[in-house]
Amino acid sequence: MTPYPPEHLLHVLHEHQQQFLYISDQAICEIASRLKLPRAQVEAVTEFYAFFHRAPRGRFDILFSNCTSCGDQKLMQQLCDRLEVSVDQTRSDGLISIGQTSCIGMCDHGASALVNGLTITSLSEQIIEEMASLIESETPVSAWPTSWFQIGNNIRKEGLLLTESLEAGAALKAIAGRSSDEILNEITASGLKGRGGAGFSTGLKWKLCRDADSDLRYVVCNADEGEPGTFKDRILLNSHADTLFEGMTICGQVIGATQGYLYLRGEYRYMLDALQATLQSRHEAGLLGSNILGSGFDFDISIVVGAGAYICGEESALIESIEEKPGIPRIRPPFPVTSGLWGKPTVVNNVETLVAAARIALHGHQWFETSGTWQSKGSKLLSVSGDCARPGIYEYPFGTTVQQILDDAGAENVQAVQVGGPAGRLIGEDHFSNHIAFEDIATGGSFMIFDKSHDLLEVISNFTHFFAHESCGFCTPCRVGTRLLKNGLDKICSGHGTAHDLDELQRTAALVSRRSHCGLGMTAPNPVRDGIKSFPQLFEAKLLHKEMEPEFNLDASLEEARSLTNRDDAEAHL
């Protein structure tokens, strides 16, 4: 198995689009024939992922983040005006396309964008002007200032995981000669729980997979951190990739797997070469491949790169994506530990969990237990962004208060904190004494700060737009419900909502949360529900004091019909 399967459907589509700027019907047929896949499958995948396009894009294809932390719509409009192109359009000469995308994981670097798939951070009005000149002169992106593409780690506080750099192979050598039962007992005794936010016992997950009846098992690392405001995995992948691959290898040894996959989010494609180089060096050092360190254990790792689909952070959707399908969540049970990748038992852990597992294998469970609370052992990496003086990565022992984090980050006049991204919790001052812990405020790692100058209703609206855009469309409650939530909140934000609309918003939110198929749908209403519960005055201040206001402007909606019939007389209006 090669570190980067070039014939994986997602990779083939990416390479084709890089060359031809879009994926045509003919290309779909040719790729389907070449990969021996059904044409319908190739077409469905092309349509599903946001980074694939069926119409030609510009030779310079720019996607601005629309995240509340790493997005700036004014800068996007500045570039559009400068180059005379509209948002979501390709200029008639084919030179430039400008559009929007969800958070690209650069929230500690200010306004950011993807240019032909490469990440540019710390955008400013001056950089936008320079960028416009480079595009007009058709200067290749490879010749643009290298400083624009440099992405720092911004580590502000180190703890158990970040303090030391693990020597390649150290954990594997530490467990040499120990049985898989002994290693599993070490992981279980540590109390390590999945760092994605759900908090499932890692040791139990590995045991369930190992004990499932099968001749094949897989290890999958979920590096698709698409939750807005989250960028901690970026640092681990950038500076601790060896430790991550060590954790995957140890998991493979425990459960009896010979193959692992790292699913890397498309927004982090710029790290692909470095990750492949790390895998290659581990091969050369005898830490991957056949007979690892002379133990008789075989294990290898391949990288699959996503293509812009938030839903693929859900483990069963991610598995579908590795299987070269649209990332639609599966019906569960069965769970991946018994029926995962290609129907085989599979452990899916995120980056932080596997890095922690490697450290535990090296230092022992007692070392890990020295940090955290009795229900939440160890530490948590937080991606701190928003209105604060010192955004970046902070590693805290579980049990740290929200106020402590705000103080360390230099946040003042704080109105609210979104913990765990839009799918997490929106909390106000009355919760700042709460603790980051599975038993109190659980989080996958996002910590977005909003001071009192922020229009919090606009922030909540941004989150509802995000979920409506990212719904995979599989189930009706999520597909329709997230759009109803977006439309309802838009109506209130525009000053046309009534008390009736607010009641409808709450009813819809409850229905979407209760009836959706997967975790995305279940958590999509959280910003609306938390907003109404904790900040009711924001909604009430926008309400009209009358019984009912139409959902939309019917007279304006008839404009197209008037235009088609060349009518603009009084009877053509309501």
Side-chain angles (χ1 to χ4, degrees):
M1 186 70 72
T2 59
Y4 175 78
E7 291 296 279
H8 191 282
L9 177 56
L10 293 183
H11 303 164
V12 172
L13 290 171
H14 171 78
E15 291 301 322
H16 181 89
Q17 184 167 275
Q18 288 293 102
Q19 183 176 359
F20 298 101
L21 305 180
Y22 79 117
I23 298 164
S24 65
D25 288 341
Q26 181 182 349
I28 286 174
C29 291
E30 292 173 354
I31 290 170
S33 175
R34 173 178 148 196
L35 300 184
K36 296 181 172 54
L37 293 172
R39 184 191 185 284
Q41 182 177 341
V42 178
E43 184 168 16
V45 167
T46 306
E47 297 282 357
F48 183 83
Y49 294 89
F51 288 173
F52 295 142
H53 306 288
R54 298 301 309 278
R57 302 286 291 180
R59 298 188 289 284
F60 293 90
D61 187 10
I62 303 180
L63 294 174
F64 281 81
S65 169
N66 58 18
C67 168
T68 58
S69 290
C70 61
D72 191 325
Q73 303 301 290
K74 291 180 181 176
L75 293 178
M76 179 180 69
Q77 193 57 52
Q78 180 189 341
L79 189 63
C80 287
D81 295 342
R82 180 72 169 70
L83 295 173
E84 299 180 344
V85 61
S86 300
V87 177
D88 296 328
Q89 298 291 324
T90 299
R91 212 168 75 173
S92 58
D93 61 359
L95 177 67
I96 176 77
S97 298
I98 297 177
Q100 302 181 54
T101 187
S102 300
C103 177
I104 60 174
M106 299 293 152
C107 301
D108 53 336
H109 285 77
S112 305
L114 298 174
V115 180
N116 291 353
L118 298 175
T119 304
I120 289 184
T121 63
S122 306
L123 291 172
S124 63
E125 292 183 2
Q126 181 181 343
I127 289 179
I128 291 293
E129 282 299 314
E130 294 176 28
M131 189 186 296
S133 298
L134 290 169
I135 291 171
E136 285 180 325
S137 62
E138 301 204 35
T139 303
V141 174
S142 58
W144 291 16
T146 53
S147 60
W148 291 2
F149 301 93
Q150 292 175 352
I151 301 167
N153 279 348
N154 277 337
I155 296 174
R156 303 285 185 177
K157 184 176 177 58
E158 296 176 335
L160 283 181
L161 303 186
L162 298 180
T163 298
E164 64 171 341
S165 293
L166 195 72
E167 180 185 346
L172 287 173
K173 291 171 185 173
I175 61 172
R178 300 177 69 181
S179 68
S180 62
D181 275 340
E182 290 174 313
I183 304 167
L184 179 60
N185 289 340
E186 193 79 68
I187 299 296
T188 304
S190 73
L192 175 63
K193 295 179 179 179
R195 267 31 184 173
F200 191 81
S201 164
T202 301
L204 179 58
K205 179 180 281 191
W206 290 16
K207 182 178 187 302
L208 291 171
C209 185
R210 187 195 67 172
D211 293 347
D213 184 21
S214 179
D215 56 338
L216 283 175
R217 295 175 183 80
Y218 295 102
V219 178
V220 171
C221 174
N222 183 349
D224 192 44
E225 59 171 359
E227 197 71 39
T230 310
F231 48 90
K232 64 181 180 57
D233 288 352
R234 191 192 80 214
I235 281 72
L236 294 174
L237 290 163
N238 187 45
S239 299
H240 298 270
D242 248 319
T243 310
L244 165 64
F245 294 140
E246 198 114 335
M248 293 179 68
T249 308
I250 291 168
C251 178
Q253 185 170 345
V254 169
I255 68 172
T258 58
Q259 180 64 46
Y261 290 91
L262 171 69
Y263 189 88
L264 182 69
R265 71 179 305 211
E267 292 82 348
Y268 290 170
R269 180 177 290 276
Y270 72 93
M271 286 194 272
L272 181 58
D273 288 346
L275 291 169
Q276 287 178 295
T278 302
L279 288 177
Q280 182 59 36
S281 68
R282 292 183 68 82
H283 269 280
E284 293 168 358
L287 302 173
L288 276 179
S290 302
N291 193 25
I292 292 174
L293 294 178
S295 65
F297 168 56
D298 302 337
F299 188 74
D300 214 336
I301 296 172
S302 297
I303 301 173
V304 174
V305 186
Y310 164 77
I311 189 62
C312 288
E314 197 276 343
E315 61 180 4
S316 66
L318 183 152
I319 287 171
E320 289 283 301
S321 188
I322 294 177
E323 292 185 2
E324 305 179 294
K325 302 171 188 171
I328 296 174
R330 295 177 176 176
I331 295 172
R332 301 185 301 177
F335 293 96
V337 287
T338 56
S339 181
L341 200 56
W342 294 295
K344 301 297 182 181
T346 302
V347 164
V348 182
N349 279 141
N350 75 356
V351 175
E352 187 179 351
T353 307
L354 290 162
V355 167
R359 300 279 188 190
I360 293 166
L362 176 63
H363 296 295
H365 66 86
Q366 295 92 345
W367 164 83
F368 193 69
E369 290 177 281
T370 59
S371 188
T373 71
W374 73 277
Q375 291 185 67
S376 304
K377 304 296 185 186
S379 63
K380 186 76 195 82
L381 269 64
L382 297 178
S383 314
V384 177
S385 67
D387 300 320
C388 62
R390 294 177 288 278
I393 294 297
Y394 293 73
E395 184 180 8
Y396 288 100
F398 275 113
T400 301
T401 65
V402 172
Q403 186 62 57
Q404 179 65 54
I405 300 164
L406 292 172
D407 291 342
D408 290 349
E412 298 178 347
N413 298 315
V414 179
Q415 177 182 193
V417 179
Q418 184 72 41
V419 184
R425 288 181 60 183
L426 179 65
I427 60 172
E429 289 181 70
D430 53 334
H431 287 287
F432 290 175
S433 60
N434 284 56
H435 303 80
I436 299 297
F438 292 110
E439 65 270 28
D440 194 349
I441 297 181
T443 173
S446 170
F447 193 95
M448 306 169 82
I449 303 167
F450 302 103
D451 67 20
K452 292 176 180 174
S453 70
H454 246 101
D455 183 342
L456 203 55
L457 207 53
E458 281 191 9
V459 172
I460 297 170
S461 176
N462 177 288
F463 293 160
T464 60
H465 280 246
F466 167 77
F467 283 117
H469 176 263
E470 294 292 349
S471 173
C472 77
F474 174 74
C475 72
T476 303
C478 179
R479 182 181 65 251
V480 178
T482 53
R483 197 150 291 276
L484 290 175
L485 289 173
K486 178 185 82 69
N487 293 343
L489 196 54
D490 283 349
K491 184 179 178 184
I492 291 174
C493 288
S494 68
H496 291 89
T498 65
H500 170 77
D501 293 309
L502 192 57
D503 290 342
E504 281 298 307
L505 205 59
Q506 294 185 81
R507 276 193 288 270
T508 304
L511 186 149
V512 174
S513 180
R514 193 168 58 248
R515 300 297 183 188
S516 289
H517 170 62
C518 75
L520 182 148
M522 293 175 189
T523 56
N526 284 0
V528 172
R529 303 183 85 174
D530 286 349
I532 294 174
K533 179 181 177 183
S534 301
F535 305 93
Q537 71 280 5
L538 299 177
F539 294 80
E540 290 163 2
K542 289 278 189 178
L543 297 182
L544 287 173
H545 296 289
K546 62 183 191 179
E547 188 173 336
M548 192 275 287
E549 176 80 358
E551 181 76 23
F552 62 98
N553 187 335
L554 181 57
D555 185 66
S557 299
L558 291 172
E559 181 57 37
E560 184 178 0
R562 285 193 290 269
S563 176
L564 290 172
T565 56
N566 293 317
R567 288 190 59 183
D568 196 25
D569 55 276
E571 291 186 354
H573 288 269
L574 296 175

